[in-house]
Amino acid sequence: MTEKRLRLLVTRRWPEAAESYLAERYDAVFNSNDGPMTQEALSQAFDAYDVICPTVSDKIDAAIIGTAPQRTRLLANFGVGYDHIDLAACKTAGVAVTNTPGVLTDATADLAMTLMLMAARRAGEGERELRAGNWTGWRPTHLTGRQLSGKVLGLVGFGRIAQAVAKRAHHGFGMDILYYSRSVAQEAVEKDLSAKRVNSLEALLEQSDVVSLHVPGGAETQNMIGAEQIAAMKRSAILINTARGGVIDHDALALALKSGVIATAGLDVYPAEPKIPAELLEMENIVLLPHLGSATVETREAMGMRAAKNVDAFAAGAPLPDRVV
Ligand code: 8YV
């Protein structure tokens, strides 16, 4: 049995319960220093491990995957998004890919609300002022933001996470929900959220007070929100991104925030993480978080266990529960 145990690489530290689970069952190697893997190390790993469990910080491109069969047959991704993996190359090379859907929906929706509230209520600005010792005391006109209740929330994409955001925003904050998505949501979902589908992205942008992005990353959505789209938004609008950094043209965003084309933004994701576009770092009217969407103890453990269950299925020769390719 020991001889036949799958050799498995976990590219970053995982919550202890998930690491222990894998260590008990597989010949598992963990990245104990928790640094990002180099392209060279990832490339070597394809020859050395049956299964690799990557995260968003691993760029698994065609050069790494190759065309000739290598030892790695499964990428059990820790995370729901997989735009860091070249799926077409995986398909050609016969490498299966799984993800962890469902278990990070609430955590990510909570974070979208966090950004929305922080941006609307100028929480980052206030904290920076206070910590710098610049707060001179209460006054009626101090750091006045905008309230969310009664405002229109426009969701770009209407999958699990967007619907969870809509639920919080509508039932918790009294917001009206619009969405733009290729597919029409179930009638019961639309009814519960009083959500209305609009026919074009432009219409959504024009009518929304807050726009929150919930589309997958990748070529299809690259720079989906550029100068033209931002210009279609209200001058008082708030733009929220918990999806993928590439969805927004950040040069256009910086320019728009500087010149008052829109009021403010809240970002959790960036095109070349962990690099942050320098201009944004200097601006007051933007909230910047370090990709915390799924960062709760409960969710990260659930993500690890979900990835582990996919490894179990692979080891047993069973259908992979969360197969992407
Ligand atoms: C994850 C995410 O933490 O799951 C996703 O797609 O964006 C994050 O919340 C990250 O991707 C882990 O790989």
Side-chain angles (χ1 to χ4, degrees):
M1 171 72 187
T2 316
E3 290 299 296
K4 289 196 173 158
R5 291 212 311 177
L6 285 180
R7 196 161 152 72
L8 174 150
L9 173 68
V10 177
T11 66
R12 301 304 289 258
R13 291 312 306 262
W14 281 16
E16 205 193 322
E19 283 195 351
S20 306
Y21 183 92
L22 290 174
E24 277 163 25
R25 287 161 180 80
Y26 303 104
D27 180 6
V29 171
F30 300 95
N31 177 1
S32 53
N33 76 20
D34 204 21
M37 302 272 299
T38 62
Q39 294 310 99
E40 196 191 348
L42 278 173
S43 184
Q44 285 165 4
F46 261 75
D47 269 337
Y49 297 92
D50 303 297
V51 175
I52 300 176
C53 300
T55 73
V56 71
S57 64
D58 302 306
K59 190 168 167 39
I60 305 189
D61 56 20
I64 284 176
I65 298 157
T67 43
Q70 303 187 66
R71 180 163 175 180
T72 298
R73 316 292 337 141
L74 171 68
L75 298 174
N77 186 52
F78 182 101
V80 67
Y82 40 76
D83 58 305
H84 54 291
I85 301 173
D86 187 329
L87 293 187
C90 284
K91 208 168 179 182
T92 308
V95 177
V97 179
T98 59
N99 69 344
T100 62
V103 291
L104 44 77
T105 305
D106 284 335
T108 310
D110 288 349
L111 199 90
M113 291 310 301
T114 305
L115 283 172
M116 234 181 266
L117 286 162
M118 285 183 76
R121 298 301 300 274
R122 305 174 67 181
E125 281 178 74
E127 210 207 7
R128 282 190 292 280
E129 178 189 87
L130 180 146
R131 284 181 184 270
N134 293 333
W135 183 35
T136 57
W138 191 91
R139 56 200 188 279
T141 56
H142 180 223
L143 283 180
T144 46
R146 297 282 177 170
Q147 69 176 40
L148 293 182
S149 29
K151 300 282 164 56
V152 175
L153 170 62
L155 296 156
V156 181
F158 204 53
R160 272 183 300 257
I161 296 172
Q163 290 181 20
V165 173
K167 188 172 150 196
R168 285 154 175 74
H170 182 67
H171 294 299
F173 290 87
M175 297 184 82
D176 296 325
I177 309 297
L178 296 180
Y179 72 95
Y180 169 69
S181 162
R182 266 190 298 220
S183 45
V184 184
Q186 285 172 8
E187 215 181 306
V189 171
E190 283 195 347
K191 204 170 160 207
D192 174 48
L193 300 168
S194 302
K196 292 188 186 65
R197 180 167 176 259
V198 293
N199 287 331
S200 71
L201 177 59
E202 200 186 8
L204 182 105
L205 297 171
E206 280 170 3
Q207 293 173 55
S208 303
D209 297 297
V210 182
V211 173
S212 189
L213 307 177
H214 300 282
V215 289
E220 247 187 84
T221 55
Q222 185 70 23
N223 290 340
M224 182 182 192
I225 305 295
E228 197 184 314
Q229 289 70 31
I230 296 172
M233 294 169 69
K234 297 183 182 182
R235 286 184 86 83
S236 56
I238 301 174
L239 176 63
I240 302 297
N241 192 9
T242 52
R244 282 292 179 267
V247 178
I248 297 179
D249 174 345
H250 285 76
D251 291 337
L253 176 64
L255 209 62
L257 287 172
K258 242 187 230 165
S259 53
V261 174
I262 59 168
T264 174
L267 309 181
D268 188 43
V269 286
Y270 308 89
E273 296 175 8
K275 281 190 217 134
I276 308 297
E279 272 185 303
L280 299 183
L281 287 173
E282 284 154 24
M283 299 173 117
E284 283 293 354
N285 56 338
I286 187 164
V287 178
L288 303 167
L289 294 181
H291 203 147
L292 295 179
S294 62
T296 67
V297 172
E298 297 86 347
T299 294
R300 289 285 163 83
E301 190 173 308
M303 289 164 76
M305 295 310 295
R306 186 79 177 233
K309 295 294 172 193
N310 281 287
V311 177
D312 288 348
F314 177 80
L320 305 176
D322 302 306
R323 185 168 195 144
V324 177
V325 156

